[in-house]
Amino acid sequence: MFKQEAIEIIRKAITKEGILASAQQKDNYARVWSRDSMMTGYAGILIHDEQIISGLKRSILTLAEHQAENGQIPSNVVNGKASYGTHVGRTDATAWWIVTTCEYLKTTSDDALKSSLKEKIYQALSCLKTWEYNQRGLVYSPLGGNWADEYVTSGYTLYDNVLRYWALKNTSEVYNDPELKTVSENTKDLIQQNFYKNDSNVTRYHETAYAKASANPYFWASLNANGYDERFDLAGNALALLLDFEMDMQAFSEFLKGIRDEFKHWMLPVFYPVIFPRDDDWRLLENNYSYSFKNQPYHFHNGGSWPIFLGWLCLGLKKKGIREIPEKIMTEYETLMHEKGEHFREYYSTDKLLPLGTGQLCFSASGYLFMSL
């Protein structure tokens, strides 16, 4: 229904520097953001759109040109100036660049680019390695250190570590690196054993915290020295499904249906449960913003629904052979766009289903394209 419109929104956001965050090209969105341009470029690869794929290549090169001395990839680049994050650096920017650069190299026969980018890709992996801090295999993200930059998750986050695994896996395949393949497999096992309750007799990162954590039908959001954040991170779980981590899919499907019944719609919240002013975590939310406070209950990261990550969830569920839930999510999203007359806004509030944030967002257009596959 909206596929061609989604494609055109992305095409309008392509400049000589790469894919901008929004076709509106205003404010903070008129930049080549690493995570936005890489996810959007990945959508272009999946739908075989040469114009978007060309824009992805420009994004890859723009970000590579501004790689920091330690191997870190910028969060964004605008007018030749790089930002690596404001309050804190962005762990996922580096991982997304590696992941999608390798996806691009897999789908093209650009051997010259493959050769010229090899050192930069390995430098970026080296940067991620230094963010393990304790050299035990999982990367550590500061509060606000990934896409949910105004939210409360921090530490050994599911989302960042699954992305890091994907980066290792893709690089090992592109450059036929058996040593890196082993590292990637070990990383996947670490995530599986430390973020999902199981009975295997292995050493955990934090034995005490693991023993106390609840057995949920999903992967926990993060681990810190003070224990697990057991909330549901939709983005991290979506990527884990897509990358074929092990999960009880019947229990997970029932969990998603339970959220749907609670909210009475399929625009599922990106983090759950919602944080309210009475909750302890509210103090971590109330000052963590750059321009204005957006994380009121049911909004933005705090229970808002983001089409981009619903799209990833649909891809992951389909990878596991589940099609009914993705179809319902896509139908709900299409119905909302038709009824509200607002297409591809950044997110929806989950209490009143209001389309909010920036419009004509490549993130949301990409999410719809993922849903449509």
PDB file of all heavy atoms in Angstrom, residues 191-211:
ATOM      1  N   ILE A 191      26.327 -14.360  24.601  1.00  0.00           N
ATOM      2  CA  ILE A 191      25.048 -13.652  24.661  1.00  0.00           C
ATOM      3  C   ILE A 191      23.928 -14.621  25.017  1.00  0.00           C
ATOM      4  O   ILE A 191      23.093 -14.348  25.886  1.00  0.00           O
ATOM      5  CB  ILE A 191      24.756 -12.945  23.322  1.00  0.00           C
ATOM      6  CG1 ILE A 191      25.812 -11.874  23.040  1.00  0.00           C
ATOM      7  CG2 ILE A 191      23.366 -12.314  23.329  1.00  0.00           C
ATOM      8  CD1 ILE A 191      25.810 -11.348  21.611  1.00  0.00           C
ATOM      9  N   GLN A 192      23.912 -15.764  24.347  1.00  0.00           N
ATOM     10  CA  GLN A 192      22.867 -16.764  24.593  1.00  0.00           C
ATOM     11  C   GLN A 192      22.867 -17.214  26.054  1.00  0.00           C
ATOM     12  O   GLN A 192      21.809 -17.355  26.675  1.00  0.00           O
ATOM     13  CB  GLN A 192      23.092 -17.971  23.672  1.00  0.00           C
ATOM     14  CG  GLN A 192      21.997 -19.018  23.744  1.00  0.00           C
ATOM     15  CD  GLN A 192      20.708 -18.596  23.065  1.00  0.00           C
ATOM     16  OE1 GLN A 192      20.713 -18.170  21.925  1.00  0.00           O
ATOM     17  NE2 GLN A 192      19.593 -18.700  23.778  1.00  0.00           N
ATOM     18  N   GLN A 193      24.057 -17.406  26.617  1.00  0.00           N
ATOM     19  CA  GLN A 193      24.162 -17.940  27.977  1.00  0.00           C
ATOM     20  C   GLN A 193      23.952 -16.889  29.065  1.00  0.00           C
ATOM     21  O   GLN A 193      23.630 -17.243  30.203  1.00  0.00           O
ATOM     22  CB  GLN A 193      25.545 -18.597  28.164  1.00  0.00           C
ATOM     23  CG  GLN A 193      25.829 -19.770  27.264  1.00  0.00           C
ATOM     24  CD  GLN A 193      24.860 -20.930  27.472  1.00  0.00           C
ATOM     25  OE1 GLN A 193      24.187 -21.026  28.489  1.00  0.00           O
ATOM     26  NE2 GLN A 193      24.792 -21.829  26.503  1.00  0.00           N
ATOM     27  N   ASN A 194      24.120 -15.618  28.713  1.00  0.00           N
ATOM     28  CA  ASN A 194      24.059 -14.578  29.748  1.00  0.00           C
ATOM     29  C   ASN A 194      22.826 -13.677  29.688  1.00  0.00           C
ATOM     30  O   ASN A 194      22.574 -12.932  30.630  1.00  0.00           O
ATOM     31  CB  ASN A 194      25.318 -13.701  29.683  1.00  0.00           C
ATOM     32  CG  ASN A 194      26.516 -14.393  30.285  1.00  0.00           C
ATOM     33  OD1 ASN A 194      26.671 -14.460  31.495  1.00  0.00           O
ATOM     34  ND2 ASN A 194      27.376 -14.935  29.428  1.00  0.00           N
ATOM     35  N   PHE A 195      22.051 -13.760  28.607  1.00  0.00           N
ATOM     36  CA  PHE A 195      20.887 -12.887  28.486  1.00  0.00           C
ATOM     37  C   PHE A 195      19.562 -13.647  28.430  1.00  0.00           C
ATOM     38  O   PHE A 195      18.509 -13.032  28.300  1.00  0.00           O
ATOM     39  CB  PHE A 195      21.014 -12.010  27.228  1.00  0.00           C
ATOM     40  CG  PHE A 195      22.027 -10.910  27.354  1.00  0.00           C
ATOM     41  CD1 PHE A 195      23.363 -11.142  27.053  1.00  0.00           C
ATOM     42  CD2 PHE A 195      21.664  -9.648  27.799  1.00  0.00           C
ATOM     43  CE1 PHE A 195      24.307 -10.133  27.175  1.00  0.00           C
ATOM     44  CE2 PHE A 195      22.586  -8.632  27.921  1.00  0.00           C
ATOM     45  CZ  PHE A 195      23.919  -8.872  27.614  1.00  0.00           C
ATOM     46  N   TYR A 196      19.618 -14.967  28.537  1.00  0.00           N
ATOM     47  CA  TYR A 196      18.414 -15.782  28.435  1.00  0.00           C
ATOM     48  C   TYR A 196      18.517 -16.909  29.445  1.00  0.00           C
ATOM     49  O   TYR A 196      19.548 -17.586  29.529  1.00  0.00           O
ATOM     50  CB  TYR A 196      18.302 -16.352  27.018  1.00  0.00           C
ATOM     51  CG  TYR A 196      16.966 -16.946  26.648  1.00  0.00           C
ATOM     52  CD1 TYR A 196      15.893 -16.132  26.285  1.00  0.00           C
ATOM     53  CD2 TYR A 196      16.777 -18.334  26.636  1.00  0.00           C
ATOM     54  CE1 TYR A 196      14.667 -16.671  25.920  1.00  0.00           C
ATOM     55  CE2 TYR A 196      15.555 -18.880  26.274  1.00  0.00           C
ATOM     56  CZ  TYR A 196      14.501 -18.051  25.914  1.00  0.00           C
ATOM     57  OH  TYR A 196      13.279 -18.589  25.552  1.00  0.00           O
ATOM     58  N   LYS A 197      17.468 -17.101  30.232  1.00  0.00           N
ATOM     59  CA  LYS A 197      17.510 -18.109  31.293  1.00  0.00           C
ATOM     60  C   LYS A 197      17.532 -19.510  30.700  1.00  0.00           C
ATOM     61  O   LYS A 197      16.683 -19.857  29.866  1.00  0.00           O
ATOM     62  CB  LYS A 197      16.278 -17.946  32.189  1.00  0.00           C
ATOM     63  CG  LYS A 197      16.443 -18.557  33.576  1.00  0.00           C
ATOM     64  CD  LYS A 197      17.288 -17.673  34.465  1.00  0.00           C
ATOM     65  CE  LYS A 197      17.131 -18.044  35.925  1.00  0.00           C
ATOM     66  NZ  LYS A 197      17.903 -17.171  36.823  1.00  0.00           N
ATOM     67  N   ASN A 198      18.523 -20.292  31.081  1.00  0.00           N
ATOM     68  CA  ASN A 198      18.596 -21.683  30.642  1.00  0.00           C
ATOM     69  C   ASN A 198      19.301 -22.505  31.712  1.00  0.00           C
ATOM     70  O   ASN A 198      19.835 -21.964  32.689  1.00  0.00           O
ATOM     71  CB  ASN A 198      19.330 -21.788  29.292  1.00  0.00           C
ATOM     72  CG  ASN A 198      20.732 -21.217  29.353  1.00  0.00           C
ATOM     73  OD1 ASN A 198      21.601 -21.763  30.013  1.00  0.00           O
ATOM     74  ND2 ASN A 198      20.949 -20.098  28.664  1.00  0.00           N
ATOM     75  N   ASP A 199      19.302 -23.798  31.544  1.00  0.00           N
ATOM     76  CA  ASP A 199      19.824 -24.708  32.580  1.00  0.00           C
ATOM     77  C   ASP A 199      21.247 -25.176  32.314  1.00  0.00           C
ATOM     78  O   ASP A 199      21.748 -26.048  33.015  1.00  0.00           O
ATOM     79  CB  ASP A 199      18.907 -25.938  32.703  1.00  0.00           C
ATOM     80  CG  ASP A 199      17.503 -25.563  33.128  1.00  0.00           C
ATOM     81  OD1 ASP A 199      17.367 -24.603  33.919  1.00  0.00           O
ATOM     82  OD2 ASP A 199      16.549 -26.219  32.670  1.00  0.00           O
ATOM     83  N   SER A 200      21.894 -24.648  31.303  1.00  0.00           N
ATOM     84  CA  SER A 200      23.239 -25.124  30.971  1.00  0.00           C
ATOM     85  C   SER A 200      24.224 -24.790  32.085  1.00  0.00           C
ATOM     86  O   SER A 200      24.136 -23.753  32.747  1.00  0.00           O
ATOM     87  CB  SER A 200      23.707 -24.514  29.651  1.00  0.00           C
ATOM     88  OG  SER A 200      23.708 -23.104  29.733  1.00  0.00           O
ATOM     89  N   ASN A 201      25.158 -25.676  32.276  1.00  0.00           N
ATOM     90  CA  ASN A 201      26.132 -25.545  33.361  1.00  0.00           C
ATOM     91  C   ASN A 201      27.383 -24.833  32.845  1.00  0.00           C
ATOM     92  O   ASN A 201      28.410 -25.441  32.581  1.00  0.00           O
ATOM     93  CB  ASN A 201      26.485 -26.929  33.914  1.00  0.00           C
ATOM     94  CG  ASN A 201      27.375 -26.848  35.151  1.00  0.00           C
ATOM     95  OD1 ASN A 201      27.383 -25.829  35.849  1.00  0.00           O
ATOM     96  ND2 ASN A 201      28.119 -27.904  35.406  1.00  0.00           N
ATOM     97  N   VAL A 202      27.289 -23.523  32.696  1.00  0.00           N
ATOM     98  CA  VAL A 202      28.421 -22.727  32.225  1.00  0.00           C
ATOM     99  C   VAL A 202      28.665 -21.583  33.192  1.00  0.00           C
ATOM    100  O   VAL A 202      27.809 -21.234  34.004  1.00  0.00           O
ATOM    101  CB  VAL A 202      28.155 -22.146  30.809  1.00  0.00           C
ATOM    102  CG1 VAL A 202      27.971 -23.265  29.791  1.00  0.00           C
ATOM    103  CG2 VAL A 202      26.955 -21.218  30.817  1.00  0.00           C
ATOM    104  N   THR A 203      29.845 -20.987  33.088  1.00  0.00           N
ATOM    105  CA  THR A 203      30.172 -19.838  33.923  1.00  0.00           C
ATOM    106  C   THR A 203      29.499 -18.596  33.351  1.00  0.00           C
ATOM    107  O   THR A 203      29.620 -18.313  32.161  1.00  0.00           O
ATOM    108  CB  THR A 203      31.695 -19.617  33.971  1.00  0.00           C
ATOM    109  OG1 THR A 203      32.308 -20.811  34.480  1.00  0.00           O
ATOM    110  CG2 THR A 203      32.045 -18.447  34.880  1.00  0.00           C
ATOM    111  N   ARG A 204      28.788 -17.869  34.197  1.00  0.00           N
ATOM    112  CA  ARG A 204      28.101 -16.649  33.761  1.00  0.00           C
ATOM    113  C   ARG A 204      28.956 -15.420  34.078  1.00  0.00           C
ATOM    114  O   ARG A 204      29.839 -15.460  34.919  1.00  0.00           O
ATOM    115  CB  ARG A 204      26.748 -16.499  34.473  1.00  0.00           C
ATOM    116  CG  ARG A 204      25.936 -17.759  34.577  1.00  0.00           C
ATOM    117  CD  ARG A 204      25.291 -18.165  33.284  1.00  0.00           C
ATOM    118  NE  ARG A 204      24.530 -19.408  33.462  1.00  0.00           N
ATOM    119  CZ  ARG A 204      23.906 -20.060  32.510  1.00  0.00           C
ATOM    120  NH1 ARG A 204      23.930 -19.601  31.276  1.00  0.00           N
ATOM    121  NH2 ARG A 204      23.244 -21.169  32.752  1.00  0.00           N
ATOM    122  N   TYR A 205      28.633 -14.334  33.394  1.00  0.00           N
ATOM    123  CA  TYR A 205      29.317 -13.068  33.660  1.00  0.00           C
ATOM    124  C   TYR A 205      29.135 -12.650  35.108  1.00  0.00           C
ATOM    125  O   TYR A 205      30.051 -12.157  35.756  1.00  0.00           O
ATOM    126  CB  TYR A 205      28.724 -11.977  32.746  1.00  0.00           C
ATOM    127  CG  TYR A 205      29.703 -11.403  31.753  1.00  0.00           C
ATOM    128  CD1 TYR A 205      30.262 -12.207  30.761  1.00  0.00           C
ATOM    129  CD2 TYR A 205      30.064 -10.068  31.790  1.00  0.00           C
ATOM    130  CE1 TYR A 205      31.145 -11.678  29.833  1.00  0.00           C
ATOM    131  CE2 TYR A 205      30.949  -9.530  30.869  1.00  0.00           C
ATOM    132  CZ  TYR A 205      31.484 -10.333  29.895  1.00  0.00           C
ATOM    133  OH  TYR A 205      32.351  -9.811  28.988  1.00  0.00           O
ATOM    134  N   HIS A 206      27.922 -12.801  35.604  1.00  0.00           N
ATOM    135  CA  HIS A 206      27.572 -12.342  36.950  1.00  0.00           C
ATOM    136  C   HIS A 206      26.686 -13.427  37.563  1.00  0.00           C
ATOM    137  O   HIS A 206      25.459 -13.358  37.481  1.00  0.00           O
ATOM    138  CB  HIS A 206      26.834 -11.014  36.855  1.00  0.00           C
ATOM    139  CG  HIS A 206      26.710 -10.249  38.141  1.00  0.00           C
ATOM    140  ND1 HIS A 206      26.606 -10.864  39.374  1.00  0.00           N
ATOM    141  CD2 HIS A 206      26.653  -8.912  38.381  1.00  0.00           C
ATOM    142  CE1 HIS A 206      26.498  -9.946  40.319  1.00  0.00           C
ATOM    143  NE2 HIS A 206      26.533  -8.746  39.730  1.00  0.00           N
ATOM    144  N   GLU A 207      27.308 -14.428  38.173  1.00  0.00           N
ATOM    145  CA  GLU A 207      26.590 -15.607  38.654  1.00  0.00           C
ATOM    146  C   GLU A 207      25.448 -15.249  39.610  1.00  0.00           C
ATOM    147  O   GLU A 207      24.340 -15.775  39.508  1.00  0.00           O
ATOM    148  CB  GLU A 207      27.574 -16.561  39.355  1.00  0.00           C
ATOM    149  CG  GLU A 207      28.633 -17.156  38.440  1.00  0.00           C
ATOM    150  CD  GLU A 207      28.114 -18.290  37.583  1.00  0.00           C
ATOM    151  OE1 GLU A 207      26.908 -18.600  37.645  1.00  0.00           O
ATOM    152  OE2 GLU A 207      28.914 -18.861  36.815  1.00  0.00           O
ATOM    153  N   THR A 208      25.716 -14.340  40.549  1.00  0.00           N
ATOM    154  CA  THR A 208      24.702 -13.966  41.535  1.00  0.00           C
ATOM    155  C   THR A 208      23.494 -13.325  40.867  1.00  0.00           C
ATOM    156  O   THR A 208      22.342 -13.668  41.158  1.00  0.00           O
ATOM    157  CB  THR A 208      25.292 -12.990  42.568  1.00  0.00           C
ATOM    158  OG1 THR A 208      26.458 -13.579  43.151  1.00  0.00           O
ATOM    159  CG2 THR A 208      24.285 -12.675  43.658  1.00  0.00           C
ATOM    160  N   ALA A 209      23.765 -12.382  39.969  1.00  0.00           N
ATOM    161  CA  ALA A 209      22.667 -11.692  39.283  1.00  0.00           C
ATOM    162  C   ALA A 209      21.878 -12.663  38.412  1.00  0.00           C
ATOM    163  O   ALA A 209      20.646 -12.603  38.364  1.00  0.00           O
ATOM    164  CB  ALA A 209      23.222 -10.547  38.432  1.00  0.00           C
ATOM    165  N   TYR A 210      22.571 -13.560  37.722  1.00  0.00           N
ATOM    166  CA  TYR A 210      21.901 -14.517  36.853  1.00  0.00           C
ATOM    167  C   TYR A 210      20.967 -15.420  37.650  1.00  0.00           C
ATOM    168  O   TYR A 210      19.840 -15.700  37.231  1.00  0.00           O
ATOM    169  CB  TYR A 210      22.927 -15.359  36.088  1.00  0.00           C
ATOM    170  CG  TYR A 210      22.329 -16.241  35.015  1.00  0.00           C
ATOM    171  CD1 TYR A 210      22.143 -15.768  33.726  1.00  0.00           C
ATOM    172  CD2 TYR A 210      21.924 -17.547  35.303  1.00  0.00           C
ATOM    173  CE1 TYR A 210      21.574 -16.566  32.732  1.00  0.00           C
ATOM    174  CE2 TYR A 210      21.352 -18.354  34.327  1.00  0.00           C
ATOM    175  CZ  TYR A 210      21.190 -17.859  33.046  1.00  0.00           C
ATOM    176  OH  TYR A 210      20.608 -18.650  32.076  1.00  0.00           O
ATOM    177  N   ALA A 211      21.436 -15.877  38.807  1.00  0.00           N
ATOM    178  CA  ALA A 211      20.628 -16.762  39.646  1.00  0.00           C
ATOM    179  C   ALA A 211      19.351 -16.070  40.125  1.00  0.00           C
ATOM    180  O   ALA A 211      18.310 -16.703  40.287  1.00  0.00           O
ATOM    181  CB  ALA A 211      21.449 -17.236  40.834  1.00  0.00           C
TER     182      ALA A 211
END
